Amino acid sequence: MKLVRYGEIGSEKPGLIDDEGKIRDLSAHIDDINGHMLSDASLARLRSLDPASLPLIEDDQRFGACVNGVGKFMCIGLNYSDHAAETGAEIPAHPILFMKATSAITGPDDKVMIPRNSQATDWEVELGVVIGTACKYVTPDQALDYVAGYCVVNDVSERDFQAKLTGQWTKGKSCDTFGPIGPWLVTRDEIDDPQNLDMTLDVNGERRQTGNTKTMIFSIAECISHLSQLMTLHPGDVISTGTPPGVGLGMKPEPVYLKEGDVMDVWIDGLGQQRQTVGQDA
């Protein structure tokens, strides 16, 4: 299934995308798409519904973040060998974890706002993993059983805030609008191999990032297992699993960053496409 949240900010309704790419309303069956309805049993109940029996929604709809009520927004840094190389970083011995404020979460096509005093706002296409069942101390071979589904994430980053303000990367990752998620949550049964998904990001129609999840240093299962040794992962938690090469920070002969009016197109095979126009905070 492809699950969506559609409607104006703060008033999103749950829906699914049918076989013809149309939105079908799920409001009669669930209140929202959040951790409370992401268990295997809940998803099986939704899967048993006939999409044709659900109200058809007009195409011209805003999509909100595909999951609501995110408890933890966790990100894995330097998780692609080719991205680590472009930044001059050493390959980490363990998954690098940083947190992104949940207040950064926004819809997949909402504006991304350059924060005040920013000179280095950057892009990062990433595979998002949404936890469906609480897990703790799981092994890598068990880990994917706890996944509800996958989605596109743009891990927008302010590099000066991230590296020069002293402290954790979280400072440069958590600005308002820096966490577009969606357009939809694709349940794990629809993704044959999450470790072999092509991904791209364009800025103003020019290809910046091209990658595939097979070049991750730590697999999705390894990341989930590692994090579960440190904390309980709860339904609705999101893990953003790292970015391939081509970020603005790594461009030669010097970095190139986002400016007001730029347009980002962010795509992962089977998971849909985001498009964000860049604005400027006052």
Side-chain angles (χ1 to χ4, degrees):
M1 289 183 296
K2 293 181 176 68
L3 299 174
V4 299
R5 299 176 62 251
Y6 68 93
E8 297 305 309
I9 295 174
S11 301
E12 294 92 345
K13 296 181 179 180
L16 61 78
I17 303 297
D18 67 18
D19 291 339
E20 296 181 354
K22 302 294 185 181
I23 306 171
R24 297 285 180 165
D25 182 61
L26 284 171
S27 297
H29 300 276
I30 55 174
D31 293 331
D32 204 348
I33 296 170
N34 53 32
H36 298 297
M37 55 72 53
L38 291 177
S39 69
D40 287 349
S42 295
L43 293 176
R45 182 170 61 84
L46 293 181
R47 201 174 286 113
S48 70
L49 300 173
D50 177 8
S53 70
L54 303 172
L56 182 65
I57 305 301
E58 294 180 2
D59 290 337
D60 188 19
Q61 296 287 335
R62 170 192 172 268
F63 286 141
C66 59
V67 60
N68 195 26
V70 175
K72 295 189 287 295
F73 194 172
M74 298 162 282
C75 301
I76 307 300
L78 298 175
N79 197 31
Y80 284 70
S81 55
D82 34 13
H83 172 55
E86 76 172 341
T87 61
E90 294 184 4
I91 299 298
H94 307 283
I96 293 173
L97 171 66
F98 62 89
M99 309 297 280
K100 200 173 182 85
T102 56
S103 56
I105 294 173
T106 188
D109 300 326
D110 292 343
K111 266 195 169 184
V112 165
M113 302 300 292
I114 296 173
R116 185 182 298 179
N117 301 319
S118 167
Q119 301 295 322
T121 297
D122 204 349
W123 55 82
E124 293 190 17
V125 56
E126 304 202 3
L127 172 67
V129 177
V130 180
I131 299 297
T133 304
C135 62
K136 189 175 184 180
Y137 301 135
V138 301
T139 60
D141 63 316
Q142 299 168 325
L144 296 187
D145 294 338
Y146 293 84
V147 172
Y150 304 95
C151 61
V152 182
V153 174
N154 187 357
D155 176 22
V156 185
S157 308
E158 212 300 336
R159 301 303 188 185
D160 288 347
F161 296 0
Q162 178 182 350
K164 299 178 182 179
L165 287 187
T166 308
Q168 299 179 342
W169 289 3
T170 298
K171 290 182 178 180
K173 299 286 189 170
S174 295
C175 303
D176 294 347
T177 74
F178 273 24
I181 297 178
W184 39 71
L185 172 63
V186 181
T187 52
R188 74 172 189 268
D189 58 296
E190 290 207 9
I191 303 299
D192 292 334
D193 184 3
Q195 239 26 99
N196 188 22
L197 299 177
D198 290 329
M199 54 207 309
T200 61
L201 185 145
D202 296 351
V203 179
N204 300 329
E206 295 185 12
R207 184 60 40 86
R208 298 299 191 195
Q209 290 187 272
T210 301
N212 186 289
T213 55
K214 65 186 177 185
T215 68
M216 285 184 184
I217 297 167
F218 302 102
S219 70
I220 297 160
E222 289 170 330
C223 290
I224 294 171
S225 175
H226 178 75
L227 294 174
S228 80
Q229 311 307 310
L230 309 173
M231 67 193 86
T232 301
L233 304 182
H234 293 101
D237 285 350
V238 175
I239 305 170
S240 197
T241 55
T243 198
V247 298
L249 175 65
M251 294 189 69
K252 302 294 189 272
E254 59 185 27
V256 175
Y257 295 118
L258 294 167
K259 62 185 184 302
E260 186 175 9
D262 284 347
V263 177
M264 292 179 283
D265 288 295
V266 190
W267 173 87
I268 299 180
D269 186 23
L271 302 182
Q273 180 170 326
Q274 304 178 350
R275 170 171 279 194
Q276 297 112 24
T277 300
V278 177
Q280 177 71 58
D281 257 357

